[in-house]
Amino acid sequence: MTRFAPILVAALLAGCAVPHSPPVVAPVAPAALGLGTAAAPLIADDWWRGFGDPQLDRIVTDATAGNPTLDAALARVRQAEAVLASRRADDGPNVTLDGSVQPQRLSGRYIIPPPYGGTVRTIGQVQGNLSWNLDLFGRQRAAIEGARASARAAALDVAAARLAIAGSVVQTYIDLARAEAQARLAQQTVTTREQSLRLVQTRIRNRLASNLQAEAAGTLLAQAREAAVRAEGARAIAANALAALAGKGHDYALGIAPTTLNLDTALTLPKTLPADLLARRPDIAAAQARIEAAAAGRQVARRAFYPNINLAAFVGLQAIGLGNLVDLDSSAVGAGPAIHLPLFDNGRLKADLAGATAAVDIATADYNDRVIGAVRDAADALALIDNLTAQRQRAAEVVRGLSETNRLNAIRVSSGLDSKLDLVDNDIRLLDARLATTNLAADAARQRVALVLALGGGFSPAQETAR
């Protein structure tokens, strides 16, 4: 024990010299976020199947299998796992084998006497080396814990990417269904107004109507055709977006059939912010893991102030002349401890510790930002769902009112009390109101999806840990 006393004393002195340098940013407390007391209902992993459209299910499957964003996230997982394997490899014995053959002129005025000194000889060496970092102060263990936390964060990023991609696909698919519904409505209106225009033209030939009525009917028809063209353009854009999300080309978009999506399909969702909101989101779990990784990195920086003690050994053959290399008398063996003790580094270790502490604060601030954002996302989705429900009720009343006005106006026109020109304004407003109703239905469905995403979809921390 006496021989190790200087090492222990040096370690104690080094430990006393470690700066305190604590983190200054604290994680936000869930109790301060206004979360409710009830838990949210469970959300299935394949929650989008609740809309009952097999084509949507296929596109989500394609997107989560071939999306470049997901491919990048999976590559980062493999990278993090490789770093973890490297850190684990450092925490154990390492054996190397070195060999060399070099023609060399040996100094005649150095430690090798004649006849070798002052001549050119071939120097041969074969040596096996053993090194083992004892990690007495846990620096390597902290590095492993940091790499493990980083790998866990990368895996959680994959879960978050899958959820985001699935959500984007479903919301884009809702836009596709919206465009199709608007196109159907516009086309129905086109058909009706074409019939109306033909009727007016017949009345003109029979001198029962004027050209003003024909102009009015033509204006209504042009407006309906413009709405149909606009809806077809929106459908093409949505189909192209779905192809891009699936990592496919234009042919994939052309192969997307008409949707069978029911925009009013209900998802089982809470009425208030659930108490377990923060445990449901993979991005928040990843942010927590990155705090752990940064904290482990800070421990690595702290323990760099302590001595680094290794066991080192070598065994091999060394000889002048290749023929002598196989002689047993050419053997060389050595073993013993090696210590590295930082004494003066001009402030480098303190700077490393300060940087690692700042990394903890950055990770904590990012976590806090994600937590606050999660609460806002969920609150916004809840508020918008309620607001859109109220808007749809009012919009339905507007459609009913304008439809009844149109019916009464049509009676007056057929009775000769009004002209077709008097119907233009009301008819245009009726089509706009019907298109707006379709928009509100799609917006409500998108917000239900947004709430699913805000609640973490079907993410389960326990399942992720088991993978």
Side-chain angles (χ1 to χ4, degrees):
M1 289 298 295
T2 304
R3 71 182 66 180
F4 294 108
I7 296 177
L8 295 176
V9 171
L12 181 61
L13 292 175
C16 293
V18 179
H20 185 45
S21 185
V24 298
V25 180
V28 64
L33 298 174
L35 300 180
T37 57
L42 293 179
I43 300 174
D45 289 342
D46 53 354
W47 51 269
W48 54 87
R49 295 184 184 274
F51 286 103
D53 190 327
Q55 181 173 244
L56 171 61
D57 302 340
R58 175 178 62 82
I59 296 175
V60 171
T61 300
D62 292 343
T64 52
N67 189 280
T69 300
L70 187 58
D71 290 340
L74 290 170
R76 284 191 288 271
V77 171
R78 295 192 296 271
Q79 184 182 51
E81 289 175 345
V83 172
L84 175 59
S86 177
R87 295 293 178 267
R88 285 172 172 165
D90 290 338
D91 189 33
N94 286 268
V95 179
T96 61
L97 178 65
D98 299 320
S100 65
V101 175
Q102 288 184 330
Q104 181 178 338
R105 185 186 186 282
L106 304 178
S107 172
R109 295 289 187 269
Y110 196 45
I111 60 175
I112 300 177
Y116 295 109
T119 63
V120 176
R121 302 285 178 166
T122 300
I123 308 298
Q125 178 172 303
V126 178
Q127 183 171 300
N129 304 287
L130 167 69
S131 63
W132 192 345
N133 187 336
L134 298 182
D135 195 29
L136 296 181
F137 301 100
R139 182 182 183 187
Q140 196 58 43
R141 288 192 299 275
I144 292 173
E145 286 303 316
R148 183 179 291 114
S150 294
R152 187 166 63 253
L156 290 165
D157 285 340
V158 172
R162 283 198 179 99
L163 177 60
I165 291 168
S168 294
V169 169
V170 176
Q171 289 183 323
T172 304
Y173 198 80
I174 290 171
D175 288 338
L176 183 70
R178 179 209 309 262
E180 290 176 350
Q182 291 181 339
R184 286 193 299 269
L185 178 59
Q187 192 56 51
Q188 291 169 2
T189 306
V190 166
T191 301
T192 300
R193 291 179 179 177
E194 285 176 342
Q195 295 172 351
S196 178
L197 178 59
R198 286 195 294 269
L199 178 60
V200 170
Q201 290 170 340
T202 299
R203 289 171 63 86
I204 290 174
R205 286 194 296 271
N206 295 325
R207 297 184 178 182
L208 298 175
S210 67
N211 288 331
L212 280 176
Q213 291 176 315
E215 288 295 328
T219 299
L220 293 175
L221 177 58
Q223 186 240 2
R225 285 174 173 169
E226 189 272 337
V229 171
R230 186 169 61 247
E232 287 299 326
R235 187 196 185 283
I237 290 174
N240 289 337
L242 288 170
L245 286 167
K248 308 293 184 179
H250 184 58
D251 290 346
Y252 189 90
L254 295 177
I256 296 177
T259 66
T260 58
L261 194 68
N262 181 2
L263 293 181
D264 289 323
T265 298
L267 297 172
T268 304
L269 299 171
K271 298 298 184 183
T272 59
L273 293 181
D276 57 351
L277 168 63
L278 303 186
R280 290 173 169 265
R281 300 216 358 171
D283 57 335
I284 291 178
Q288 288 176 322
R290 289 194 167 88
I291 293 177
E292 296 172 12
R298 181 173 178 273
Q299 290 303 316
V300 171
R302 282 181 57 82
R303 289 163 187 173
F305 287 85
Y306 292 89
N308 190 17
I309 301 175
N310 295 293
L311 289 180
F314 73 91
V315 59
L317 301 171
Q318 298 173 334
I320 298 176
L322 292 181
N324 296 326
L325 190 62
V326 296
D327 194 318
L328 290 179
D329 199 35
S330 299
S331 62
V333 179
I339 183 171
H340 170 78
L341 178 63
L343 295 178
F344 177 75
D345 61 5
N346 207 30
R348 181 181 60 82
L349 291 180
K350 288 184 179 179
D352 290 345
L353 178 57
T357 302
V360 175
D361 287 335
I362 292 172
T364 304
D366 179 67
Y367 168 80
N368 290 344
D369 183 62
R370 290 181 181 275
V371 165
I372 294 171
V375 173
R376 178 179 177 179
D377 290 345
D380 285 351
L382 285 171
L384 285 172
I385 288 172
D386 290 341
N387 183 262
L388 286 168
T389 300
Q391 286 189 59
R392 292 182 69 186
Q393 293 173 349
R394 303 289 86 79
E397 294 173 1
V398 171
V399 170
R400 283 194 297 269
L402 291 174
S403 297
E404 180 62 15
T405 301
N406 244 24
R407 186 185 70 82
L408 295 175
N409 285 341
I411 293 174
R412 292 178 63 84
V413 169
S414 63
S415 303
L417 299 176
D418 282 319
S419 72
K420 191 70 176 177
L421 188 63
D422 297 325
L423 300 183
V424 172
D425 182 63
N426 190 80
D427 209 349
I428 288 176
R429 287 192 294 148
L430 178 58
L431 177 57
D432 288 342
R434 286 173 174 166
L435 294 174
T437 300
T438 303
N439 269 332
L440 289 172
D443 288 342
R446 282 180 61 94
Q447 285 306 316
R448 290 198 299 276
V449 174
L451 184 53
V452 168
L453 300 179
L455 296 177
F459 171 72
S460 171
Q463 291 178 2
E464 287 299 322
T465 302
R467 290 176 183 174

